[in-house]
Amino acid sequence: GNNSVAAVLLAGGQGTRLGFDGPKGMYDIGLSSGRTLFQYICERILKLIQLASSSEFSSSSSSKTVRLPLYIMTSPMNDATT
């Protein structure tokens, strides 16, 4: 429909070249929080939803729920793990 948006994460790769036996998005990239890229991206999307739902960005007469679906492209090699 109108005013629709989604996020797409291309996450089909394995972390083999990084010396990691799993999806690249689960590789420890050294964040002090210990979060993976997958966690970080999901948290950022949730923050966007919160911002879009705030009164600053939505009209007070609107009662629509803000949705931002996340589609993750995986490969057969990492689908279940992702």
Side-chain angles (χ1 to χ4, degrees):
N2 291 338
N3 298 319
S4 297
V5 66
V8 177
L9 178 58
L10 306 178
Q14 284 291 104
T16 308
R17 285 180 283 179
L18 299 169
F20 179 67
D21 186 29
K24 287 180 191 169
M26 294 177 70
Y27 180 72
D28 180 357
I29 59 169
L31 295 175
S32 59
S33 64
R35 294 178 298 179
T36 66
L37 280 174
F38 288 155
Q39 289 173 304
Y40 181 76
I41 289 166
C42 289
E43 288 169 4
R44 300 309 304 156
I45 289 172
L46 288 172
K47 182 64 174 177
L48 286 171
I49 292 169
Q50 290 172 347
L51 287 171
S53 299
S54 73
S55 58
E56 182 178 339
F57 293 101
S58 62
S59 68
S60 58
S61 62
S62 175
S63 62
K64 291 183 180 177
T65 301
V66 174
R67 293 188 44 183
L68 180 50
L70 171 61
Y71 297 96
I72 303 175
M73 183 203 79
T74 62
S75 69
M77 185 181 293
N78 68 14
D79 186 69
T81 308
T82 302

